[in-house]
């Protein structure tokens, strides 16, 4: 369902998946994998309340589950609630997604939005090490380094 281009076919697959995962969760109420999948499906269907409730449920079952934290972060990121997004990306990172390019680049982007240039730079550099063929990350790293250089020059001139 997620890779299909045809909207109607995609909706049909999402509905089928929704049925299957609902059955799985009814059979095994603590099946975190199925709960996360339901959250992702409802997120895809723009059913925010249901998506949020399933992601919360998954985290309540296992707050250290990196996938649950990652998808909850994505949920908030897409809705531009960056404070909550970074909270869950950091947990996802802490609990296992240290080698995930997308997590690191999104964290870098959020830190940059918050003006935390140092953390943004660290995230972008780690993301680059994971995916050196990405064309955007070197530009981001240069931008961050220019900001740092300009700030240093500003403070040097101010102190003189």
């Amino acid at each position: 369902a997620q890779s299909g281009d045809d909207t109607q076919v995609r909706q049909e697959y999402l509905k089928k998946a929704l049925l299957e995962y609902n059955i799985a969760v009814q059979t095994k109420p603590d099946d975190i994998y199925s709960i996360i999948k339901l959250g992702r499906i409802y997120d895809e269907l723009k059913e925010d309340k249901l998506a949020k409730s399933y992601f919360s449920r998954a985290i309540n079952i296992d707050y250290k589950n990196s996938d649950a934290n990652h998808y909850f972060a994505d949920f908030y990121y897409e809705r531009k609630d960056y404070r909550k997004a970074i909270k869950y990306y950091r947990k996802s990172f802490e609990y296992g997604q240290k080698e995930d390019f997308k997590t690191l680049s999104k964290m870098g982007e959020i830190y940059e939005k918050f003006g935390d240039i140092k953390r943004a730079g660290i995230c972008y550099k780690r993301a680059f090490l994971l995916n050196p063929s990405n064309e955007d990350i070197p530009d981001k790293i240069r931008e961050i380094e220019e900001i740092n250089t300009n700030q240093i020059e500003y403070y040097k001139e101010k102190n003189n």
Side-chain angles (χ1 to χ4, degrees), residues 14-88:
L14 285 171
K15 286 177 185 176
K16 286 179 183 178
L18 195 58
L19 281 170
E20 296 289 328
Y21 286 115
N22 267 314
I23 291 168
V25 169
Q26 287 174 3
T27 307
K28 292 182 179 178
D30 290 341
D31 179 13
I32 197 162
Y33 175 81
S34 297
I35 293 167
I36 292 169
K37 288 294 187 179
L38 280 171
R40 292 184 66 202
I41 293 167
Y42 283 121
D43 186 18
E44 185 76 25
L45 294 171
K46 305 295 184 219
E47 295 282 346
D48 290 3
K49 273 186 166 182
L50 289 168
K52 192 174 177 180
S53 73
Y54 278 101
F55 290 135
S56 292
R57 183 174 170 183
I59 288 172
N60 285 336
I61 292 169
D62 180 7
Y63 71 95
K64 289 185 176 184
N65 185 289
S66 62
D67 288 336
N69 283 290
H70 178 83
Y71 290 119
F72 211 6
D74 283 348
F75 171 86
Y76 284 117
Y77 180 87
E78 290 301 317
R79 285 145 187 89
K80 298 183 181 1
D81 189 341
Y82 299 118
R83 295 217 182 279
K84 288 182 182 171
I86 197 66
K87 171 186 171 183
Y88 289 104

Side-chain angles (χ1 to χ4, degrees):
Q2 291 177 329
S3 62
D5 292 333
D6 184 348
T7 306
Q8 186 176 1
V9 171
R10 206 177 153 141
Q11 293 297 317
E12 288 176 31
Y13 279 124
L14 285 171
K15 286 177 185 176
K16 286 179 183 178
L18 195 58
L19 281 170
E20 296 289 328
Y21 286 115
N22 267 314
I23 291 168
V25 169
Q26 287 174 3
T27 307
K28 292 182 179 178
D30 290 341
D31 179 13
I32 197 162
Y33 175 81
S34 297
I35 293 167
I36 292 169
K37 288 294 187 179
L38 280 171
R40 292 184 66 202
I41 293 167
Y42 283 121
D43 186 18
E44 185 76 25
L45 294 171
K46 305 295 184 219
E47 295 282 346
D48 290 3
K49 273 186 166 182
L50 289 168
K52 192 174 177 180
S53 73
Y54 278 101
F55 290 135
S56 292
R57 183 174 170 183
I59 288 172
N60 285 336
I61 292 169
D62 180 7
Y63 71 95
K64 289 185 176 184
N65 185 289
S66 62
D67 288 336
N69 283 290
H70 178 83
Y71 290 119
F72 211 6
D74 283 348
F75 171 86
Y76 284 117
Y77 180 87
E78 290 301 317
R79 285 145 187 89
K80 298 183 181 1
D81 189 341
Y82 299 118
R83 295 217 182 279
K84 288 182 182 171
I86 197 66
K87 171 186 171 183
Y88 289 104
Y89 280 131
R90 286 193 341 219
K91 287 180 180 185
S92 172
F93 181 81
E94 179 182 348
Y95 299 133
Q97 293 196 5
K98 292 182 184 335
E99 302 295 319
D100 186 70
F101 172 80
K102 288 181 182 180
T103 299
L104 283 165
S105 57
K106 284 183 180 177
M107 286 174 65
E109 185 180 328
I110 293 170
Y111 283 129
E112 189 176 1
K113 287 179 188 300
F114 289 163
D116 190 339
I117 302 306
K118 184 177 179 180
R119 283 188 178 151
I122 291 167
C123 290
Y124 286 139
K125 287 175 183 175
R126 290 178 96 170
F128 179 73
L129 291 174
L130 293 172
N131 187 359
S133 63
N134 183 284
E135 297 174 7
D136 298 330
I137 297 295
D139 293 336
K140 289 287 190 183
I141 293 169
R142 274 191 290 281
E143 286 175 24
I144 297 293
E145 288 174 351
E146 283 177 20
I147 290 170
N148 283 334
T149 303
N150 291 339
Q151 285 178 344
I152 291 168
E153 292 302 318
Y154 169 78
Y155 289 113
K156 278 184 184 176
E157 288 175 24
K158 189 174 181 179
N159 289 334
N160 287 338

